[in-house]
Amino acid sequence: MISNRFLPALLASGIAVLLAAGCAGGTKLVAQWKDDVYEARPAKVLVIGASDERGPRSLVEDEFVRQFKEHGTDAIASHKVFPAGPRPTKDEVLAKTRELGADAIMVIRFLKKDMGDTHTPVRRYSVPQGFATSWESYYGMGTTTEVGIRDISYDYNVISMDLALYQTENGKPIWSALSQTTYQEGPLKQIKPLTTAVMKELANEKLIK
């Protein structure tokens, strides 16, 4: 396990390398963390796209569900069980997850930014806290650590995503990552390659087949 105090520096250097590489498209997970104590493999995952935009949220959730199932892990999209109305509270999410018999929650936080001439430092905490503590921050109500790197000029776009996998039983984090996707075409076309990159890493960590 990487020590918490090294992760901000690792993240900053990873982003700098990615941006300096130019316009080569694709998704890279520039920072990852896993609880090495956790040795199980989730059997069923509730997938939550933490966004108020229903269209992109549904597309991302459905693609994650599809690929989870391809890897032999059952999954359900949150828009299927929370179809409309105000965003659910953390207690409602946990209650619904237990009702569905899901033993894990995957949260994908949308940090989409259409970049211009310079890079704005990414806000990112180094290691996720428990689900109950983290839930409010997914909608901009929590605190994060400012990771500053030098300004870099570029002429392509970047989608930043914050991903975390939690245990339902106790709300503890299992795995987390920050992804950076470079693109020139529409951002919705990046959903499948983003999900594929995440699944590859989950498989590497033995969290899925």
Side-chain angles (χ1 to χ4, degrees), residues 103-180:
D103 57 348
I105 305 167
M106 169 67 86
V107 180
I108 305 107
R109 183 184 182 189
F110 295 74
L111 300 174
K112 176 183 176 295
K113 294 182 180 180
D114 292 323
M115 299 299 184
D117 295 330
T118 57
H119 173 69
T120 301
V122 174
R123 293 183 178 274
R124 166 69 179 171
Y125 49 81
S126 58
V127 173
Q129 301 182 54
F131 180 80
T133 303
S134 299
W135 179 245
E136 302 300 336
S137 71
Y138 289 131
Y139 291 94
M141 294 174 282
T143 59
T144 56
T145 297
E146 183 79 8
V147 179
I149 63 173
R150 64 185 179 86
D151 287 342
I152 299 174
S153 297
Y154 52 89
D155 58 1
Y156 56 92
N157 300 311
V158 178
I159 296 176
S160 299
M161 304 285 270
D162 193 19
L163 308 106
L165 184 66
Y166 297 91
Q167 300 177 62
T168 299
E169 180 181 6
N170 53 27
K172 290 183 178 180
I174 300 170
W175 174 90
S176 72
L178 176 68
S179 72
Q180 294 281 322

Side-chain angles (χ1 to χ4, degrees), residues 2 6-15 30-32:
I2 298 173
F6 292 124
L7 279 174
L10 176 63
L11 173 59
S13 63
I15 294 174
V30 297
Q32 291 190 70

Side-chain angles (χ1 to χ4, degrees), residues 186-207:
L188 294 182
K189 295 182 179 180
Q190 314 310 315
I191 293 174
K192 184 175 181 179
L194 163 70
T195 309
T196 299
V198 171
M199 292 297 158
K200 179 180 179 181
E201 294 306 316
L202 291 178
N204 288 341
E205 296 289 355
K206 311 297 183 185
L207 293 171

